[in-house]
Amino acid sequence: GENVEQHPSTLSVQEGDSAVIKCTYSDSASNYFPWYKQELGKRPQLIIDIRSNVGEKKDQRIAVTLNKTAKHFSLHITETQPEDSAVYFCAPLPPSGGSYIPTFGRGTSLIVHP
Amino acid sequence: GAVVSQHPSRVICKSGTSVKIECRSLDFQATTMFWYRQFPKQSLMLMATSNEGSKATYEQGVEKDKFLINHASLTLSTLTVTSAHPEDSSFYICSADGTGGGNEQFFGPGTRLTVL
């Protein structure tokens, strides 16, 4: 199965700084790379995703970059705000159409200090 | 679109009782649903994969006789925690496989189970 590692486990930044979280995976067949944000007691919420045919995707303050050769992808948050404080998870997946087992990274607790 | 509901949102029960949690895809058909358990400050751990019309596939270490999964229709999967004990207290979340051509996961809001 997929081996997913996520770093760092905790990230503390000042409001306005940038934050970067990295996810490393093992299955070279993975082609869907999402990032989820989970606030305490709530469901994971997809915030951005990328497929293997592109190397970068941006949505306002959030971006994801993908390095398929090195098998890692990263979440970038610029101009962080206190409401960005949450736990972030990556969960790379293989192509659809076959059976698969979703595997989540251990999560990164992002704390944005006002 | 792609809304998943989950009920109940919160349940408190006595040790030894059984609790049923429902997961519904409201506006799409979900051939596959996943059940996760999440302990405080930990990641989502997949418990089982639920396929409509067939037996669920359980992950290693998950007791299938304790966590009964039924996926009787394309919009409903249920997880029954049988003979619950305090160590079963956790946040249970379901997700459904999206229909957008990829493997996007659509999550239910979760069920907080507390076993006294």
PDB file of all heavy atoms in Angstrom, chain B residues 56-83:
ATOM      1  N   ALA B  56     -17.865  -5.814   3.173  1.00  0.00           N
ATOM      2  CA  ALA B  56     -16.858  -4.774   3.360  1.00  0.00           C
ATOM      3  C   ALA B  56     -15.469  -5.384   3.477  1.00  0.00           C
ATOM      4  O   ALA B  56     -15.311  -6.534   3.883  1.00  0.00           O
ATOM      5  CB  ALA B  56     -17.184  -3.970   4.613  1.00  0.00           C
ATOM      6  N   THR B  57     -14.490  -4.606   3.117  1.00  0.00           N
ATOM      7  CA  THR B  57     -13.095  -5.018   3.262  1.00  0.00           C
ATOM      8  C   THR B  57     -12.508  -4.270   4.445  1.00  0.00           C
ATOM      9  O   THR B  57     -12.463  -3.040   4.439  1.00  0.00           O
ATOM     10  CB  THR B  57     -12.296  -4.676   1.995  1.00  0.00           C
ATOM     11  OG1 THR B  57     -12.901  -5.315   0.871  1.00  0.00           O
ATOM     12  CG2 THR B  57     -10.856  -5.150   2.135  1.00  0.00           C
ATOM     13  N   TYR B  58     -12.047  -4.996   5.440  1.00  0.00           N
ATOM     14  CA  TYR B  58     -11.560  -4.395   6.665  1.00  0.00           C
ATOM     15  C   TYR B  58     -10.036  -4.275   6.646  1.00  0.00           C
ATOM     16  O   TYR B  58      -9.337  -5.140   6.128  1.00  0.00           O
ATOM     17  CB  TYR B  58     -11.989  -5.230   7.872  1.00  0.00           C
ATOM     18  CG  TYR B  58     -13.472  -5.175   8.137  1.00  0.00           C
ATOM     19  CD1 TYR B  58     -14.358  -5.979   7.419  1.00  0.00           C
ATOM     20  CD2 TYR B  58     -13.992  -4.314   9.097  1.00  0.00           C
ATOM     21  CE1 TYR B  58     -15.726  -5.909   7.642  1.00  0.00           C
ATOM     22  CE2 TYR B  58     -15.358  -4.251   9.337  1.00  0.00           C
ATOM     23  CZ  TYR B  58     -16.215  -5.048   8.607  1.00  0.00           C
ATOM     24  OH  TYR B  58     -17.561  -4.974   8.834  1.00  0.00           O
ATOM     25  N   GLU B  59      -9.556  -3.211   7.247  1.00  0.00           N
ATOM     26  CA  GLU B  59      -8.124  -3.035   7.376  1.00  0.00           C
ATOM     27  C   GLU B  59      -7.588  -3.922   8.508  1.00  0.00           C
ATOM     28  O   GLU B  59      -8.327  -4.333   9.406  1.00  0.00           O
ATOM     29  CB  GLU B  59      -7.792  -1.569   7.647  1.00  0.00           C
ATOM     30  CG  GLU B  59      -8.124  -0.662   6.469  1.00  0.00           C
ATOM     31  CD  GLU B  59      -7.423  -1.077   5.202  1.00  0.00           C
ATOM     32  OE1 GLU B  59      -6.162  -1.094   5.198  1.00  0.00           O
ATOM     33  OE2 GLU B  59      -8.102  -1.400   4.217  1.00  0.00           O
ATOM     34  N   GLN B  60      -6.315  -4.168   8.423  1.00  0.00           N
ATOM     35  CA  GLN B  60      -5.686  -5.021   9.428  1.00  0.00           C
ATOM     36  C   GLN B  60      -5.879  -4.438  10.821  1.00  0.00           C
ATOM     37  O   GLN B  60      -5.689  -3.235  11.041  1.00  0.00           O
ATOM     38  CB  GLN B  60      -4.191  -5.153   9.113  1.00  0.00           C
ATOM     39  CG  GLN B  60      -3.477  -6.204   9.925  1.00  0.00           C
ATOM     40  CD  GLN B  60      -2.042  -6.413   9.452  1.00  0.00           C
ATOM     41  OE1 GLN B  60      -1.540  -5.644   8.640  1.00  0.00           O
ATOM     42  NE2 GLN B  60      -1.397  -7.435   9.951  1.00  0.00           N
ATOM     43  N   GLY B  61      -6.260  -5.286  11.745  1.00  0.00           N
ATOM     44  CA  GLY B  61      -6.437  -4.848  13.122  1.00  0.00           C
ATOM     45  C   GLY B  61      -7.844  -4.385  13.454  1.00  0.00           C
ATOM     46  O   GLY B  61      -8.137  -4.102  14.621  1.00  0.00           O
ATOM     47  N   VAL B  62      -8.710  -4.305  12.464  1.00  0.00           N
ATOM     48  CA  VAL B  62     -10.092  -3.892  12.703  1.00  0.00           C
ATOM     49  C   VAL B  62     -10.971  -5.142  12.758  1.00  0.00           C
ATOM     50  O   VAL B  62     -11.002  -5.927  11.813  1.00  0.00           O
ATOM     51  CB  VAL B  62     -10.584  -2.949  11.585  1.00  0.00           C
ATOM     52  CG1 VAL B  62     -12.037  -2.551  11.829  1.00  0.00           C
ATOM     53  CG2 VAL B  62      -9.702  -1.714  11.516  1.00  0.00           C
ATOM     54  N   GLU B  63     -11.669  -5.294  13.877  1.00  0.00           N
ATOM     55  CA  GLU B  63     -12.479  -6.502  14.056  1.00  0.00           C
ATOM     56  C   GLU B  63     -13.788  -6.384  13.290  1.00  0.00           C
ATOM     57  O   GLU B  63     -14.638  -5.556  13.619  1.00  0.00           O
ATOM     58  CB  GLU B  63     -12.779  -6.691  15.538  1.00  0.00           C
ATOM     59  CG  GLU B  63     -11.549  -6.837  16.416  1.00  0.00           C
ATOM     60  CD  GLU B  63     -11.936  -6.855  17.887  1.00  0.00           C
ATOM     61  OE1 GLU B  63     -12.755  -7.712  18.258  1.00  0.00           O
ATOM     62  OE2 GLU B  63     -11.449  -5.997  18.653  1.00  0.00           O
ATOM     63  N   LYS B  64     -13.970  -7.243  12.321  1.00  0.00           N
ATOM     64  CA  LYS B  64     -15.170  -7.159  11.495  1.00  0.00           C
ATOM     65  C   LYS B  64     -16.429  -7.558  12.249  1.00  0.00           C
ATOM     66  O   LYS B  64     -17.536  -7.125  11.896  1.00  0.00           O
ATOM     67  CB  LYS B  64     -15.017  -7.998  10.226  1.00  0.00           C
ATOM     68  CG  LYS B  64     -14.801  -9.475  10.478  1.00  0.00           C
ATOM     69  CD  LYS B  64     -14.636 -10.201   9.151  1.00  0.00           C
ATOM     70  CE  LYS B  64     -14.404 -11.679   9.347  1.00  0.00           C
ATOM     71  NZ  LYS B  64     -14.206 -12.391   8.067  1.00  0.00           N
ATOM     72  N   ASP B  65     -16.275  -8.379  13.285  1.00  0.00           N
ATOM     73  CA  ASP B  65     -17.456  -8.766  14.060  1.00  0.00           C
ATOM     74  C   ASP B  65     -17.864  -7.690  15.047  1.00  0.00           C
ATOM     75  O   ASP B  65     -18.974  -7.718  15.572  1.00  0.00           O
ATOM     76  CB  ASP B  65     -17.182 -10.071  14.809  1.00  0.00           C
ATOM     77  CG  ASP B  65     -16.992 -11.235  13.865  1.00  0.00           C
ATOM     78  OD1 ASP B  65     -17.591 -11.203  12.765  1.00  0.00           O
ATOM     79  OD2 ASP B  65     -16.236 -12.165  14.194  1.00  0.00           O
ATOM     80  N   LYS B  66     -16.962  -6.767  15.288  1.00  0.00           N
ATOM     81  CA  LYS B  66     -17.269  -5.687  16.225  1.00  0.00           C
ATOM     82  C   LYS B  66     -17.794  -4.468  15.467  1.00  0.00           C
ATOM     83  O   LYS B  66     -18.669  -3.765  15.943  1.00  0.00           O
ATOM     84  CB  LYS B  66     -16.023  -5.300  17.008  1.00  0.00           C
ATOM     85  CG  LYS B  66     -16.269  -4.177  17.995  1.00  0.00           C
ATOM     86  CD  LYS B  66     -15.089  -3.958  18.897  1.00  0.00           C
ATOM     87  CE  LYS B  66     -15.397  -2.862  19.890  1.00  0.00           C
ATOM     88  NZ  LYS B  66     -16.536  -3.204  20.765  1.00  0.00           N
ATOM     89  N   PHE B  67     -17.236  -4.225  14.323  1.00  0.00           N
ATOM     90  CA  PHE B  67     -17.625  -3.078  13.500  1.00  0.00           C
ATOM     91  C   PHE B  67     -18.313  -3.608  12.244  1.00  0.00           C
ATOM     92  O   PHE B  67     -17.678  -3.903  11.241  1.00  0.00           O
ATOM     93  CB  PHE B  67     -16.403  -2.234  13.137  1.00  0.00           C
ATOM     94  CG  PHE B  67     -15.689  -1.669  14.322  1.00  0.00           C
ATOM     95  CD1 PHE B  67     -14.546  -2.279  14.825  1.00  0.00           C
ATOM     96  CD2 PHE B  67     -16.154  -0.513  14.943  1.00  0.00           C
ATOM     97  CE1 PHE B  67     -13.887  -1.748  15.930  1.00  0.00           C
ATOM     98  CE2 PHE B  67     -15.506   0.011  16.049  1.00  0.00           C
ATOM     99  CZ  PHE B  67     -14.373  -0.609  16.543  1.00  0.00           C
ATOM    100  N   LEU B  68     -19.645  -3.701  12.357  1.00  0.00           N
ATOM    101  CA  LEU B  68     -20.427  -4.279  11.265  1.00  0.00           C
ATOM    102  C   LEU B  68     -20.761  -3.200  10.246  1.00  0.00           C
ATOM    103  O   LEU B  68     -21.298  -2.157  10.584  1.00  0.00           O
ATOM    104  CB  LEU B  68     -21.720  -4.895  11.819  1.00  0.00           C
ATOM    105  CG  LEU B  68     -21.539  -5.984  12.871  1.00  0.00           C
ATOM    106  CD1 LEU B  68     -22.906  -6.475  13.351  1.00  0.00           C
ATOM    107  CD2 LEU B  68     -20.712  -7.141  12.335  1.00  0.00           C
ATOM    108  N   ILE B  69     -20.457  -3.476   9.004  1.00  0.00           N
ATOM    109  CA  ILE B  69     -20.715  -2.517   7.935  1.00  0.00           C
ATOM    110  C   ILE B  69     -21.676  -3.116   6.927  1.00  0.00           C
ATOM    111  O   ILE B  69     -21.496  -4.245   6.472  1.00  0.00           O
ATOM    112  CB  ILE B  69     -19.405  -2.095   7.258  1.00  0.00           C
ATOM    113  CG1 ILE B  69     -18.569  -1.285   8.241  1.00  0.00           C
ATOM    114  CG2 ILE B  69     -19.682  -1.301   5.984  1.00  0.00           C
ATOM    115  CD1 ILE B  69     -17.192  -0.943   7.742  1.00  0.00           C
ATOM    116  N   ASN B  70     -22.691  -2.322   6.599  1.00  0.00           N
ATOM    117  CA  ASN B  70     -23.686  -2.729   5.625  1.00  0.00           C
ATOM    118  C   ASN B  70     -23.832  -1.624   4.589  1.00  0.00           C
ATOM    119  O   ASN B  70     -24.029  -0.464   4.930  1.00  0.00           O
ATOM    120  CB  ASN B  70     -25.031  -2.964   6.337  1.00  0.00           C
ATOM    121  CG  ASN B  70     -26.057  -3.563   5.402  1.00  0.00           C
ATOM    122  OD1 ASN B  70     -26.115  -3.249   4.221  1.00  0.00           O
ATOM    123  ND2 ASN B  70     -26.896  -4.428   5.925  1.00  0.00           N
ATOM    124  N   HIS B  71     -23.724  -2.000   3.335  1.00  0.00           N
ATOM    125  CA  HIS B  71     -23.853  -1.017   2.239  1.00  0.00           C
ATOM    126  C   HIS B  71     -24.957  -1.522   1.324  1.00  0.00           C
ATOM    127  O   HIS B  71     -24.695  -2.035   0.239  1.00  0.00           O
ATOM    128  CB  HIS B  71     -22.509  -0.913   1.507  1.00  0.00           C
ATOM    129  CG  HIS B  71     -22.403   0.291   0.615  1.00  0.00           C
ATOM    130  ND1 HIS B  71     -21.180   0.866   0.344  1.00  0.00           N
ATOM    131  CD2 HIS B  71     -23.321   1.023  -0.036  1.00  0.00           C
ATOM    132  CE1 HIS B  71     -21.365   1.891  -0.467  1.00  0.00           C
ATOM    133  NE2 HIS B  71     -22.647   2.008  -0.696  1.00  0.00           N
ATOM    134  N   ALA B  72     -26.192  -1.369   1.795  1.00  0.00           N
ATOM    135  CA  ALA B  72     -27.329  -2.005   1.127  1.00  0.00           C
ATOM    136  C   ALA B  72     -27.788  -1.284  -0.123  1.00  0.00           C
ATOM    137  O   ALA B  72     -28.453  -1.861  -0.975  1.00  0.00           O
ATOM    138  CB  ALA B  72     -28.494  -2.123   2.112  1.00  0.00           C
ATOM    139  N   SER B  73     -27.448  -0.013  -0.243  1.00  0.00           N
ATOM    140  CA  SER B  73     -27.875   0.730  -1.427  1.00  0.00           C
ATOM    141  C   SER B  73     -26.748   1.652  -1.870  1.00  0.00           C
ATOM    142  O   SER B  73     -25.746   1.802  -1.179  1.00  0.00           O
ATOM    143  CB  SER B  73     -29.125   1.548  -1.137  1.00  0.00           C
ATOM    144  OG  SER B  73     -28.792   2.700  -0.380  1.00  0.00           O
ATOM    145  N   LEU B  74     -26.925   2.264  -3.015  1.00  0.00           N
ATOM    146  CA  LEU B  74     -25.887   3.139  -3.555  1.00  0.00           C
ATOM    147  C   LEU B  74     -25.814   4.480  -2.851  1.00  0.00           C
ATOM    148  O   LEU B  74     -24.961   5.305  -3.165  1.00  0.00           O
ATOM    149  CB  LEU B  74     -26.123   3.367  -5.054  1.00  0.00           C
ATOM    150  CG  LEU B  74     -25.788   2.172  -5.942  1.00  0.00           C
ATOM    151  CD1 LEU B  74     -26.262   2.409  -7.361  1.00  0.00           C
ATOM    152  CD2 LEU B  74     -24.299   1.884  -5.933  1.00  0.00           C
ATOM    153  N   THR B  75     -26.705   4.702  -1.889  1.00  0.00           N
ATOM    154  CA  THR B  75     -26.677   5.981  -1.173  1.00  0.00           C
ATOM    155  C   THR B  75     -26.559   5.819   0.331  1.00  0.00           C
ATOM    156  O   THR B  75     -26.547   6.812   1.056  1.00  0.00           O
ATOM    157  CB  THR B  75     -27.946   6.803  -1.485  1.00  0.00           C
ATOM    158  OG1 THR B  75     -29.084   6.041  -1.073  1.00  0.00           O
ATOM    159  CG2 THR B  75     -28.042   7.135  -2.965  1.00  0.00           C
ATOM    160  N   LEU B  76     -26.461   4.599   0.817  1.00  0.00           N
ATOM    161  CA  LEU B  76     -26.447   4.411   2.265  1.00  0.00           C
ATOM    162  C   LEU B  76     -25.474   3.313   2.686  1.00  0.00           C
ATOM    163  O   LEU B  76     -25.506   2.195   2.182  1.00  0.00           O
ATOM    164  CB  LEU B  76     -27.846   4.054   2.770  1.00  0.00           C
ATOM    165  CG  LEU B  76     -27.963   3.668   4.245  1.00  0.00           C
ATOM    166  CD1 LEU B  76     -27.599   4.851   5.135  1.00  0.00           C
ATOM    167  CD2 LEU B  76     -29.376   3.180   4.555  1.00  0.00           C
ATOM    168  N   SER B  77     -24.626   3.654   3.619  1.00  0.00           N
ATOM    169  CA  SER B  77     -23.772   2.679   4.287  1.00  0.00           C
ATOM    170  C   SER B  77     -23.927   2.886   5.783  1.00  0.00           C
ATOM    171  O   SER B  77     -24.030   4.032   6.238  1.00  0.00           O
ATOM    172  CB  SER B  77     -22.306   2.851   3.879  1.00  0.00           C
ATOM    173  OG  SER B  77     -21.467   1.956   4.593  1.00  0.00           O
ATOM    174  N   THR B  78     -23.950   1.799   6.529  1.00  0.00           N
ATOM    175  CA  THR B  78     -24.071   1.918   7.982  1.00  0.00           C
ATOM    176  C   THR B  78     -22.914   1.194   8.663  1.00  0.00           C
ATOM    177  O   THR B  78     -22.430   0.174   8.187  1.00  0.00           O
ATOM    178  CB  THR B  78     -25.394   1.331   8.494  1.00  0.00           C
ATOM    179  OG1 THR B  78     -25.456  -0.059   8.150  1.00  0.00           O
ATOM    180  CG2 THR B  78     -26.587   2.052   7.889  1.00  0.00           C
ATOM    181  N   LEU B  79     -22.501   1.784   9.766  1.00  0.00           N
ATOM    182  CA  LEU B  79     -21.481   1.194  10.623  1.00  0.00           C
ATOM    183  C   LEU B  79     -22.111   0.962  11.983  1.00  0.00           C
ATOM    184  O   LEU B  79     -22.626   1.904  12.591  1.00  0.00           O
ATOM    185  CB  LEU B  79     -20.280   2.136  10.758  1.00  0.00           C
ATOM    186  CG  LEU B  79     -19.258   1.807  11.852  1.00  0.00           C
ATOM    187  CD1 LEU B  79     -18.534   0.517  11.540  1.00  0.00           C
ATOM    188  CD2 LEU B  79     -18.260   2.954  12.036  1.00  0.00           C
ATOM    189  N   THR B  80     -22.100  -0.273  12.438  1.00  0.00           N
ATOM    190  CA  THR B  80     -22.622  -0.589  13.769  1.00  0.00           C
ATOM    191  C   THR B  80     -21.470  -1.017  14.658  1.00  0.00           C
ATOM    192  O   THR B  80     -20.758  -1.978  14.344  1.00  0.00           O
ATOM    193  CB  THR B  80     -23.677  -1.716  13.698  1.00  0.00           C
ATOM    194  OG1 THR B  80     -24.747  -1.300  12.847  1.00  0.00           O
ATOM    195  CG2 THR B  80     -24.222  -2.014  15.091  1.00  0.00           C
ATOM    196  N   VAL B  81     -21.303  -0.283  15.730  1.00  0.00           N
ATOM    197  CA  VAL B  81     -20.300  -0.628  16.725  1.00  0.00           C
ATOM    198  C   VAL B  81     -21.005  -1.515  17.738  1.00  0.00           C
ATOM    199  O   VAL B  81     -21.886  -1.055  18.480  1.00  0.00           O
ATOM    200  CB  VAL B  81     -19.711   0.618  17.404  1.00  0.00           C
ATOM    201  CG1 VAL B  81     -18.613   0.228  18.394  1.00  0.00           C
ATOM    202  CG2 VAL B  81     -19.176   1.595  16.368  1.00  0.00           C
ATOM    203  N   THR B  82     -20.665  -2.767  17.759  1.00  0.00           N
ATOM    204  CA  THR B  82     -21.346  -3.708  18.648  1.00  0.00           C
ATOM    205  C   THR B  82     -20.619  -3.817  19.985  1.00  0.00           C
ATOM    206  O   THR B  82     -19.388  -3.712  20.051  1.00  0.00           O
ATOM    207  CB  THR B  82     -21.432  -5.100  18.005  1.00  0.00           C
ATOM    208  OG1 THR B  82     -20.103  -5.597  17.807  1.00  0.00           O
ATOM    209  CG2 THR B  82     -22.156  -5.049  16.670  1.00  0.00           C
ATOM    210  N   SER B  83     -21.403  -4.010  21.029  1.00  0.00           N
ATOM    211  CA  SER B  83     -20.845  -4.152  22.376  1.00  0.00           C
ATOM    212  C   SER B  83     -19.740  -3.104  22.615  1.00  0.00           C
ATOM    213  O   SER B  83     -18.578  -3.447  22.861  1.00  0.00           O
ATOM    214  CB  SER B  83     -20.301  -5.570  22.569  1.00  0.00           C
ATOM    215  OG  SER B  83     -19.896  -5.777  23.909  1.00  0.00           O
TER     216      SER B  83
END
